[in-house]
Amino acid sequence: MSKLTDLLSKRIPTILGILFLAGGLGVGIFVVNQGTGGFFPKASPESTPKNVKITNISDSTFTISFLTDSATPGYVKYGIEANKLQQQTSDDRDQLSGTVGQFSTHHITLRNLTAATPYYVAIGTASREIYTDNGKPYMITTAPKIGGAPEALTAYGSVVTKASTPASDSIVYLSVDGASPLSTLVKSSGSWAIPLSTARTKNSSSYITTTPETNVDIFVQGKESAN
């Protein structure tokens, strides 16, 4: 666990394989379901989602992230009825580039959602397999609209590999005690930033209050480059 003042320009070392370090900081893990739960049809181990997490819940967005053993396109299908997942969105990097990329870390943000509404979600990969939570879509409820957001405060830093190269495409997860978790992708430069003004309580009913002395938990997840 660390204070926000300690995160400024913090370089977070990583290790080979899955990243489970955060520079000696306390680790906060926000796993919805270890493994994939139910799925259909037959799964491909290389493209099976692992360590599925839900973060960044607001009144109009939320993020689903996961890992795959091999680099593959990832997407989610969603809707407001469990049996009608008629909308689809792809990885945040695909949304920016307008192309479909292949990644082993997947960070998919659903946007322009309706406040205080349950959404049903299933995860898809390049194999066109659809993965669910023990046979049922994941269900995430967006936060209600509230006013009075706190003063803007941002946690930021950088993530490097053991070879001191940027750990691009890793995912940084951040949580403040009593708050719903937040996440962001690490940029090609190795830098990351998470605005805390959007952080809400776990029941989403209000914003949390943070200061430079607030304790935070950080968890970094990704794959080390083979080069």
Side-chain angles (χ1 to χ4, degrees):
M1 184 167 288
S2 179
K3 292 182 172 59
L4 290 181
T5 48
D6 299 329
L7 294 179
L8 305 185
S9 301
K10 187 80 173 179
R11 292 173 65 83
I12 302 177
T14 62
I15 58 174
L16 291 173
I18 305 300
L19 308 181
F20 288 109
L21 289 189
L25 304 180
V27 176
I29 303 176
F30 322 113
V31 180
V32 171
N33 190 343
Q34 288 283 4
T36 61
F39 54 84
F40 47 84
K42 185 178 179 180
S44 166
E46 293 78 16
S47 60
T48 299
K50 299 178 179 179
N51 294 354
V52 178
K53 300 177 178 68
I54 310 299
T55 57
N56 302 332
I57 297 175
S58 75
D59 54 31
S60 62
T61 65
F62 60 80
T63 299
I64 294 182
S65 59
F66 57 94
L67 296 179
T68 49
D69 287 340
S70 297
T72 182
Y75 62 95
V76 298
K77 297 179 73 68
Y78 65 100
I80 58 174
E81 297 182 44
N83 60 347
K84 292 184 179 180
L85 307 183
Q86 298 176 333
Q87 295 175 276
Q88 181 173 314
T89 192
S90 58
D91 192 274
D92 290 357
R93 289 155 288 192
D94 295 342
Q95 295 179 43
L96 287 174
S97 67
T99 60
V100 177
Q102 298 189 52
F103 311 101
S104 55
T105 59
H106 305 265
H107 195 266
I108 303 173
T109 302
L110 285 65
R111 309 176 193 275
N112 301 316
L113 306 177
T114 303
T117 301
Y119 282 86
Y120 298 90
V121 176
I123 297 171
T125 62
S127 59
R128 312 309 294 180
E129 294 164 353
I130 302 299
Y131 301 85
T132 59
D133 185 13
N134 294 313
K136 297 181 180 180
Y138 296 94
M139 196 276 282
I140 302 98
T141 300
T142 52
K145 284 185 176 293
I146 55 177
E151 182 180 354
L153 186 64
T154 299
Y156 63 92
S158 61
V159 184
V160 297
T161 68
K162 189 176 180 180
S164 296
T165 58
S168 59
D169 296 332
S170 298
I171 301 173
V172 173
Y173 297 93
L174 182 150
S175 184
V176 178
D177 187 33
S180 179
L182 304 171
S183 68
T184 191
L185 282 162
V186 175
K187 297 180 180 179
S188 58
S189 63
S191 65
W192 62 271
I194 297 178
L196 298 179
S197 57
T198 59
R200 298 200 184 204
T201 57
K202 290 182 178 180
N203 65 6
S204 300
S205 63
S206 62
Y207 293 110
I208 64 166
T209 300
T210 57
T211 72
E213 298 302 312
T214 297
N215 289 322
V216 297
D217 288 334
I218 290 181
F219 174 66
V220 182
Q221 182 166 266
K223 284 286 185 73
E224 183 83 29
S225 171
N227 296 325

